[in-house]
C-alpha cells in the first residue's frame, strides 16, 4: 500500500532514520559538552588537591584561629575557613567521581 508516494514499510524506515538522526545529533552535542566539562575538571584538579591539602594542614588551623580572634580584615571573604563548605565540596567530589564511574561502566557495557 502506497501512502503519499511511500509505502508503509518505507514510512517506518524513514521514521526510524529520522529518530536515529536526532539521537545522533543530541548525543554528539552532549558528548562535546561533557568533554569540555571534563577538560575544566581535569585542569582544576591541581587546585582542588591544593585546597584538600590546605584543610588538613597546620596553615588552615592557624588561619581559622586568626579569623576567630578577629586578626583578619572584617570584609575578607573566608568561606574557606568554614568546615561545612569544604566538607560539602569534598563529599560532592566523591559523589561525582562515583557517578562518573557508574556512567562509564554503563557506557562500556552499552546498558
Amino acid at each position: 500500500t502506497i501512502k503519499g508516494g511511500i509505502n508503509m514499510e518505507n514510512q517506518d524506515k524513514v521514521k526510524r532514520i529520522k529518530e536515529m538522526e536526532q539521537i545522533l545529533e543530541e548525543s554528539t552535542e552532549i558528548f562535546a559538552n561533557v568533554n569540555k566539562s571534563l577538560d575544566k575538571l581535569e585542569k582544576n584538579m591541581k587546585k582542588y588537591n591544593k585546597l584538600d591539602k590546605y584543610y588538613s594542614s597546620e596553615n588552615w588551623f592557624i588561619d581559622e584561629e586568626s579569623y576567630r580572634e578577629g586578626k583578619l580584615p572584617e570584609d575578607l571573604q573566608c568561606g574557606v575557613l568554614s568546615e561545612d563548605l569544604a566538607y560539602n565540596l569534598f563529599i560532592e567530589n566523591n559523589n561525582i567521581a562515583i557517578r562518573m564511574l557508574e556512567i562509564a561502566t554503563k557506557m562500556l557495557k552499552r546498558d
Side-chain angles (χ1 to χ4, degrees):
T1 61
I2 304 280
K3 182 178 180 184
I6 299 177
N7 67 29
M8 292 301 285
E9 183 181 328
N10 284 341
Q11 272 190 328
D12 290 343
K13 291 175 186 174
V14 168
K15 181 180 177 185
R16 181 173 53 242
I17 290 168
K18 285 182 177 182
E19 177 186 5
M20 294 302 119
E21 184 67 21
Q22 182 179 358
I23 293 171
L24 174 67
E25 290 175 11
E26 288 175 4
S27 297
T28 300
E29 182 181 347
I30 289 168
F31 288 4
N33 290 334
V34 168
N35 268 317
K36 287 177 189 175
S37 293
L38 288 173
D39 288 344
K40 289 179 183 179
L41 178 64
E42 191 172 25
K43 287 178 185 174
N44 185 65
M45 286 311 300
K46 264 189 173 176
K47 291 179 183 179
Y48 174 83
N49 290 335
K50 185 176 182 177
L51 176 66
D52 188 21
K53 287 177 185 174
Y54 171 68
Y55 269 94
S56 58
S57 75
E58 187 178 341
N59 283 337
W60 184 88
F61 291 98
I62 291 168
D63 295 348
E64 196 274 335
E65 183 179 16
S66 293
Y67 174 74
R68 274 189 295 108
E69 293 175 353
K71 294 179 180 176
L72 300 175
E74 286 184 28
D75 63 345
L76 178 65
Q77 187 174 348
C78 53
V80 72
L81 300 178
S82 160
E83 292 180 52
D84 290 344
L85 292 177
Y87 176 80
N88 292 343
L89 180 65
F90 299 145
I91 293 299
E92 184 69 8
N93 175 75
N94 289 345
N95 290 340
I96 289 171
I98 290 167
R99 184 174 178 208
M100 288 190 315
L101 287 171
E102 290 171 345
I103 291 171
T105 301
K106 287 180 183 179
M107 291 172 75
L108 291 170
K109 286 184 171 183
R110 300 200 189 287
D111 284 349

